[in-house]
Amino acid sequence: MAKKRILSGMRPTGNLHLGNLHGALKNWIELQNSGDYECFYFIADWHALTSEYNNTDMIREYILNMSIDWLSVGLDQEKSTLFIQSRIKEHAELFVILSMITPLPWLERNPTYKEMKEELSGKDLSTFGFLGYPVLQAADIIMYKAYGVPVGVDQLPHVELTREIARRFNFLYREIFPIPVPLLAEVPKLLGIDGRKMSKSYNNAIYISDRGDELRAKIEAMFTDPQRMRKKDPGRPELCNVFTFHQIYSPAEFVGEVSAECKRAGIGCTDCKRRLADRIIEGLRPIHERQDYFRKHIDEVKGIIEDGNVRAAGEAHVTMEEVRAAIKI
Ligand code: TRP
Ligand code: SF4
């Protein structure tokens, strides 16, 4: 029996940070390595334009860095198809077609649209492309007849819209598309160094490429339990972002020890952070080694993505033949 297909994408709006690694990529890698799925992962550069249309100087660099980082953290071109959205022009064709059958109110009431517009109020997002964001995303997903879409909760409305759009296409023309399901993973709640959501726009991110003293300085600056002002105050590890990181990067015995010692004011935050920094540096070492390798072998990286583009294009070509036939164009 054919393996079920998984598809997901990421916007190249900055370099990858530990929030991206633990919030999304680890899950993608697990799905890939389970061997149960055929995985398609792509860099959503057209989607990056929806909010960054006036800020494109860095986009090529971000795409290349994202390719390097994906390979460095363990996405594997032998197991997954890794590609770039804008290289598969069929996404644009399917987007146009889907835009014809998507009622405007479905887009206007999309909660992610409303939220992002408010959040990014400094930008003019009253564009056609920004409103149509989920239609392009629907095209990305159904192009590959994906069964499952691994995403974070913020993306659930987009997958829901994709389901509605796919159903509408099937109803209007012919049953071509499976209705995809969102795949939500249990992910740790890692915050940025200032205690807010980790994001490049907040300037609080620890990047996958951060190393050495720079990495140590960021960890040293991390917010801890706000009630623990002095070392003699007992702390609440469950409310401390440093502790959340320990749970990922430190061995279980040490996590238990940190928790107990923090609660009885036996360990100070400076010490706790220093030990975390050691573990993170250790944990990222294999990733950094691969990053060094791929940075020296850019042509190899480009070749891998080019192969992925070719594979994806083959699939997209087949789907679009079916779509054109169904709509008699
Ligand atoms: N909107 C997604 C995000 O910001 C990125 C994305 C674009 C995507 N197309 C997709 C995710 C298709 C899953 C499937 O994270
Ligand atoms: Fe957080 Fe560690 Fe300080 Fe406890 S000792 S508050 S876990 S940094």
Side-chain angles (χ1 to χ4, degrees):
M1 212 183 74
K3 284 184 186 175
K4 285 181 174 173
R5 267 204 191 149
I6 297 288
L7 174 131
S8 199
M10 211 176 260
R11 303 189 319 139
T13 52
N15 291 327
L16 287 178
H17 53 62
L18 297 186
N20 304 128
L21 177 60
H22 298 286
L25 286 168
K26 287 276 181 195
N27 183 37
W28 292 13
I29 294 164
E30 210 168 288
L31 290 162
Q32 163 194 277
N33 292 343
S34 74
D36 297 337
Y37 304 103
E38 193 185 351
C39 299
F40 286 73
Y41 298 126
F42 71 98
I43 297 177
D45 53 350
W46 279 335
H47 273 112
L49 290 182
T50 56
S51 58
E52 304 300 317
Y53 57 82
N54 59 349
N55 181 23
T56 57
D57 288 348
M58 297 285 286
I59 195 162
R60 286 213 168 124
E61 189 176 325
Y62 291 149
I63 292 171
L64 186 59
N65 289 346
M66 187 171 270
S67 310
I68 292 171
D69 286 352
W70 280 11
L71 296 171
S72 303
V73 299
L75 287 178
D76 178 347
Q77 74 281 6
E78 302 289 330
K79 300 180 186 159
S80 298
T81 300
L82 309 174
F83 67 100
I84 298 176
Q85 181 186 40
S86 68
R87 298 297 304 277
I88 318 296
K89 308 302 176 198
E90 282 84 352
H91 287 232
E93 184 182 358
L94 188 52
F95 168 67
V96 169
I97 291 168
L98 297 181
S99 76
M100 304 301 164
I101 67 168
T102 304
L104 259 188
W106 290 9
L107 300 175
E108 286 162 343
R109 67 168 181 248
N110 169 16
T112 311
Y113 170 70
K114 290 194 220 162
E115 263 164 44
M116 266 186 81
K117 230 174 131 174
E118 274 164 33
E119 209 173 296
L120 302 176
S121 55
K123 278 198 172 129
D124 183 1
L125 292 180
S126 300
T127 59
F128 173 59
F130 190 68
L131 181 66
Y133 187 116
V135 183
L136 180 57
Q137 185 160 345
D140 300 336
I141 296 170
I142 69 178
M143 180 71 82
Y144 302 94
K145 302 191 177 177
Y147 143 80
V149 190
V151 285
V153 270
D154 62 307
Q155 293 294 311
L156 287 180
H158 290 159
V159 179
E160 190 49 43
L161 259 166
T162 300
R163 290 163 60 83
E164 287 173 35
I165 294 170
R167 279 197 207 98
R168 189 159 160 80
F169 184 100
N170 288 347
F171 167 77
L172 287 170
Y173 308 106
R174 195 157 67 69
E175 283 285 320
I176 290 184
F177 298 114
I179 308 303
V181 296
L183 302 175
L184 275 180
E186 254 323 309
V187 294
K189 279 220 163 30
L190 290 180
L191 302 172
I193 50 185
D194 60 358
R196 291 188 290 170
K197 180 181 144 91
M198 193 181 289
S199 160
K200 81 151 192 174
S201 38
Y202 292 158
N203 222 341
N204 66 358
I206 300 175
Y207 290 95
I208 291 180
S209 52
D210 285 345
R211 306 183 186 196
D213 290 345
E214 191 186 358
L215 182 54
R216 284 187 188 280
K218 285 189 178 180
I219 294 167
E220 223 166 274
M222 272 166 81
F223 280 32
T224 62
D225 173 0
Q227 275 181 26
R228 196 171 184 210
M229 309 288 257
R230 285 161 301 242
K231 187 177 166 189
K232 66 177 178 13
D233 300 331
R236 298 168 300 175
E238 68 283 2
L239 297 182
C240 177
N241 191 33
V242 174
F243 186 68
T244 314
F245 275 87
H246 268 300
Q247 288 173 304
I248 297 174
Y249 284 95
S250 296
E253 325 79 85
F254 188 61
V255 173
E257 191 185 320
V258 167
S259 171
E261 290 300 310
C262 173
K263 286 180 193 155
R264 58 172 279 273
I267 183 176
C269 295
T270 311
D271 197 23
C272 182
K273 288 176 178 173
R274 197 171 304 127
R275 304 196 52 180
L276 174 64
D278 292 340
R279 305 311 311 201
I280 295 186
I281 288 172
E282 198 57 34
L284 294 181
R285 189 183 313 276
I287 294 177
H288 289 157
E289 282 168 7
R290 291 171 63 81
Q291 250 175 1
D292 289 341
Y293 173 84
F294 286 118
R295 281 176 184 167
K296 281 195 216 107
H297 296 83
I298 295 293
D299 287 342
E300 188 179 330
V301 175
K302 289 185 174 163
I304 289 169
I305 301 299
E306 195 42 48
D307 287 349
N309 291 339
V310 170
R311 252 190 279 167
E315 297 295 331
H317 178 82
V318 173
T319 302
M320 289 315 295
E321 294 275 299
E322 268 184 281
V323 167
R324 289 179 212 119
I327 60 183
K328 306 190 176 66
I329 268 183

